[in-house]
Amino acid sequence: SYAGKAVKRLYDDKFVTGRSTYVDDIKVNSLYATFVRSNVAHGVIKRIHRDDALKMRGVVAVFTGEELNQIIKGGIGPWTTYIDPRPWKIPLWRFAQGETKYNGEPIAMVIAQDKYTARDAAEAVNVDIEPLDAVVDMEKAKEDKILVHKELGTNFGYVGDFNAGDAEKALSSADKRVEVEIANNRLIPSPMEPRGIVSQYDGANLTIWYSTQIPHFARSEFSRIFNIPESRIRVIMPDVGGGFGSKAHILPEELAVIAASIRLGRTVRWTATRTEEMIATNSRHNVFRGEIGFKNDGTLVAIKGTLDVELGAYLTYTEGLQPTIIPPMIPGPYRVRDLAIRSRAIYTNTIPITMYRGASRPEATFIIERIMSTVADELKMDDVEVRMRNLVREDQMPYTNPFGLKYDTGDYPTLLKEGVKVLEYHKLKEWAENERKRGKKVGVGLAYYLEICGFGPYEYSETRVNEDGSVIVAIGGTPHGQGTETAIAQLVADELQIPIERIKVTWGDSEAIPAGTGTYGSRTLAIAGSAAITSSRQALEKMKRVAARSMKADVEEIEYRNGEFVHKKEGKKMSWDAVAREAYSGKEPGISASVMLEGDVTFPYGVHVAVVEVDDYGIARVKEYRAYDDIGRVINPALAEGQVHGGGTQAVGQALYELAIINENGQLAVTYADYFVPTAVEAPKFKSYFAEKYHPSNYLTKSKGVGEASLIVGPAAIVRAIENATGKRFNKTPVTPEDILS
Ligand code: MCN
Ligand code: MO
């Protein structure tokens, strides 16, 4: 069997030999788009002077927002698959028209024969902007004095209360009460491949090559926004060089490219420069302020507070998830049942904020883990002991958390006990203490997480057996670096009992694959994998029927084993390939089976440990990162470990280095000189283990997700390690050298 083995990624040759095809590699005759961007955070667009640009050789058009929005009929909407738009205040988001709401916002579009001309021409476009008062700071925006969207009457896009039990009463009966403020700063997801799109319009049909995680959702959104039937829109996702959640939403730039191609009847393309990519997607700014109550034995009894998440100037598809997913995840794996959390989402005149790896679970985990560590510090208790005291017990599983989330399977205390041992946490702590006695600033930190992943509502899969017996599995999931396609091929190879080399997994073309939800929320292996198992079982059933007809037997008389269909009674046999050939002989309809598998959430969990060293300049380095996770059945340990490493390196970035600086004019620092992303040099030494006695999910794969785990829990573990190294307290990310030295 293939499942459980570290099978090498099936489709990597093209990547390592430079023959992969990203959007910018698509060779079609096309025009190039570039954007004129706002240099103020808020202002009235008075006039766009485009005559000079239009006179330049090679310039085809310069479009204003008014012109583009005649074609962009609908606005970018909320992600109604997951959020109820009713309690929200949502401004119409199209291409800027009349007013600009953030520094860097596209306000005019230049189309030229080549990208260099397009960029030169963009410089020749002058825009008169009359600045308006802007509010670029979330705290100031809360005063509602300066409004980002006057028509909404407020900067609060969402206010909701998440109440469970009686937090007030629990607080007043607690032995101890402590106030907390816990924050994550703004990040820039930074995938290797920036945003990109090619839009081809032939007068009737649109073909769109798009660097995205959600080709099918994009198709339905484009259909709604441009009022074109889905049958006339084909969205193709070529190789995608990473997304980390940020490519699950649509930009006004991308709508403009499509609009221009419709208007001109030509193919138009845009690949974001690195600066544009940095402007395109920011993420993660949130603050929790509140009070906690606990008993002297370390039992957490109450959490009360307010969570503020920044939206930026508009509601992206994905940022709408945060204020409604963070609060119910704050209890995490712990038994606390009395909580009162007011959750608010706030518009500011800044770059719209999107989701980033973990989306809501890193925020919730950072909050609850900082709370656990605070309890430990207040009571001078060990981090492990405090958590042990509070974890949901195995006899309580499946456990319905105070907000109604049903934790499916797991044994949280046992995993902590085992994890601490396997990761040698106490040994490391002792070692660090000795090192500190010798004057070295080293520290060890631990954090626990429980996360929610594997999201539905459904995923599509089709299994097709070709005439030669090779197999195509077309999935609605959209891997873009994770290697999930290889794990799915492993599952299908086991199911069909044929060599994995005979299986090709394909995805990301809205015309070749009728439906799909996409890859995000660490859902793909669980849900698309289970869908692939199901469609493959059905295909095998169809193969059996062909074999039966061919051998003049009842289908019940046919047994399939290791690539052979056996008619036991008669002692006859047919090979997999012979049956496939028969299926395409003209007498049979061929072999294809498709399913739309419904799915629900599943809850992986684990404990991670970081070792940090701080130098005299306050610069912290994560020397080691160790992880012990229960992710259900591990299908491909190498791939799963790779996710722990990648997410762990991003956790180093969030905890120590990454901070998107927005100045008082709402301008983002847009180079990697000002925004430091960790490289291999800053990556720690990793040790990643998976619980051998795992707790399966309800999915056929028995797996739970791991694609986001390390970025969900890593920042809390790393910050705890810095505290251990320095003896100071930090309730935020990133912890900068200035913080450490002050
Ligand atoms: N896996 C496994 N056994 C399990 C669980 C997972 O072998 N029990 C393997 C899978 O085969 C897959 C990987 O681990 O190779 C992650 O699977 P899964 O947890 O199902 O996550 P997804 O495939 O849905 O990937 C999405 C996840 C998310 S949400 C973000 S954000 C993220 C991440 O993946 N973005 C990434 N990892 C990324 N990795 C790369 N290279 N690029 C991104 O943009
Ligand atoms: Mo994600």
Side-chain angles (χ1 to χ4, degrees), residues 594-613:
S594 59
V595 298
M596 192 69 101
L597 188 86
E598 281 193 350
D600 203 353
V601 289
T602 177
F603 294 83
Y605 58 101
V607 58
H608 290 204
V609 168
V611 181
V612 166
E613 190 176 327

Side-chain angles (χ1 to χ4, degrees), residues 167-180 290-296 301-302 304 374 378:
E168 206 50 68
K169 200 171 134 209
L171 274 175
S172 56
S173 64
D175 292 334
K176 231 173 173 178
R177 299 167 68 148
V178 176
E179 284 187 9
V180 291
E291 202 183 350
I292 58 169
F294 47 92
K295 291 197 209 149
N296 285 331
V301 294
K304 183 171 182 274
T374 302
E378 290 289 327

Side-chain angles (χ1 to χ4, degrees), residues 544-585:
K544 263 190 192 167
R545 266 179 255 154
V546 172
R549 281 193 286 271
S550 178
M551 291 189 268
K552 308 219 168 12
D554 287 337
V555 74
E556 296 77 43
E557 295 174 310
I558 301 295
E559 210 174 84
Y560 177 69
R561 237 183 298 113
N562 298 324
E564 274 188 333
F565 295 86
V566 184
H567 184 0
K568 274 175 300 185
K569 226 168 45 194
E570 307 237 323
K572 274 196 262 179
K573 276 185 194 169
M574 265 181 101
S575 69
W576 172 270
D577 286 5
V579 175
R581 231 175 294 123
E582 180 69 18
Y584 292 89
S585 62

Side-chain angles (χ1 to χ4, degrees), residues 126 190 300 348 407 414 507 539 587 699:
N126 286 308
S190 305
L300 179 69
T348 56
Y407 301 167
T414 302
W507 66 92
K587 289 173 270 177
Y699 280 105

Side-chain angles (χ1 to χ4, degrees), residues 465-481:
V465 182
N466 297 318
E467 194 176 347
D468 69 352
S470 62
V471 171
I472 291 177
V473 183
I475 54 167
T478 53
H480 46 279

Side-chain angles (χ1 to χ4, degrees), residues 212-222 230 235 458-460 475-478 507-518:
T212 181
Q213 301 173 227
I214 42 147
H216 288 88
F217 181 58
R219 177 180 64 169
S220 53
E221 281 300 280
F222 296 155
E230 285 186 6
V235 178
Y458 65 81
E459 200 47 276
Y460 176 87
I475 54 167
T478 53
W507 66 92
D509 180 338
S510 72
E511 210 158 275
I513 295 144
T517 304

Side-chain angles (χ1 to χ4, degrees), residues 99-122:
E99 229 177 275
T100 173
K101 307 278 192 188
Y102 63 93
N103 200 319
E105 181 175 20
I107 50 177
M109 179 194 211
V110 176
I111 307 287
Q113 304 285 0
D114 65 84
K115 63 182 166 197
Y116 308 103
T117 307
R119 280 176 204 165
D120 287 346

